Amino acid sequence: MNIQGLTKRYQGRTVVDGVSFSIPKGKVTSLIGPNGAGKSTVMSMISRLIAQDEGLVELDGTHIGHWKSRELARRLAILTQSNNIQMKLTVRELVAFGRFPYSGSRITAEDAEIIDRAIAYMELEEFQDRFLDELSGGQRQRALIAMVIAQDTEYILLDEPTNNLDIYHATNLMKTVRRLCDELGKTVILVLHEINYAAFYSDYICAFKDGGIAKFGPVHEVITKENLSAIYGVEFEVQTVKGRPLSIYY
Ligand SMILES: Nc1ncnc2c1ncn2[C@@H]1O[C@H](COP(=O)(O)OP(=O)(O)O)[C@@H](O)[C@H]1O
Ligand SMILES: [Mg+2]
């Protein structure tokens, strides 16, 4: 995915300012950076949920503006930051919803397998027949992630997916993201505030600041004491654990 000069303005205020970068295929790329830096706005523009004022997003050399909605839905699925499903659905029904761009309302045996796999990834087996409004916020969040995974698209975008998740389920999600990438060849794009999840489980980091990219590159090049201090304005220590960078702010 190639992003060139992406710009968004609201009421004359530029909130994303000429952002350009290429997201490597079959890798995990995490967007990090302060609140209001423009991460969600970029995620929404690269999935065509909102229109940019300038710039373009290319998927396999084709401007996404030229894709039919259904075609785009087959290629790319997104979990946005604010989700509020108000329908009386069970977990399984919600996850099955993720298959609709492919199958209409008819669930094939292959669909059922993909749904089962998504439910298993998010460890929702015992909740699959419960209604969403009977779940905790974290359980609902996991059901929404399972729905996005069930879309089985090449590109999977998750905006702050660890919101509401306890440390066990957040870690399970990050391991699932790695498997989606390493075993199924998916390209995963995340927005994360837990910098250590980004550092430990991503291949590439795109560090946002003030509507632009402060730094983009392989995780080891971006997660350094100097870069993190420059981006966040506070002193981090960076250590390496199991060959992966981890940062400590105290
Ligand atoms: N619909 C909107 N109308 C006006 N301003 C917006 C809108 N959406 C986002 N913004 C502003 O754009 C900036 C970037 O927001 P966002 O992309 O959500 O940041 P992040 O996800 O990095 O926290 C913020 O200052 C936010 O207030
Ligand atoms: Mg956001």
Side-chain angles (χ1 to χ4, degrees), residues 10-11 13 15 34-41 81:
Y10 286 114
Q11 292 97 38
R13 201 167 65 87
V15 300
N35 292 142
K39 305 177 298 296
S40 294
T41 305
Q81 200 174 352

Side-chain angles (χ1 to χ4, degrees), residues 10 13 34 38 40 56 64 87 107 122 126 128 169 192 238:
Y10 286 114
R13 201 167 65 87
S40 294
L56 59 84
I64 60 163
M87 283 182 285
I107 298 293
M122 288 296 103
E126 62 177 306
Q128 60 180 310
H169 286 103
L192 291 172
V238 176

Side-chain angles (χ1 to χ4, degrees), residues 34-41 43 81-82 159-160 191 193:
N35 292 142
K39 305 177 298 296
S40 294
T41 305
M43 292 283 269
Q81 200 174 352
S82 48
D159 194 344
E160 298 198 28
V191 175
H193 281 293

Side-chain angles (χ1 to χ4, degrees), residues 101-120:
Y102 297 87
S103 63
S105 53
R106 202 171 58 83
I107 298 293
T108 64
E110 192 199 347
D111 290 326
E113 237 172 73
I114 292 169
I115 292 163
D116 285 340
R117 188 175 70 199
I119 286 172

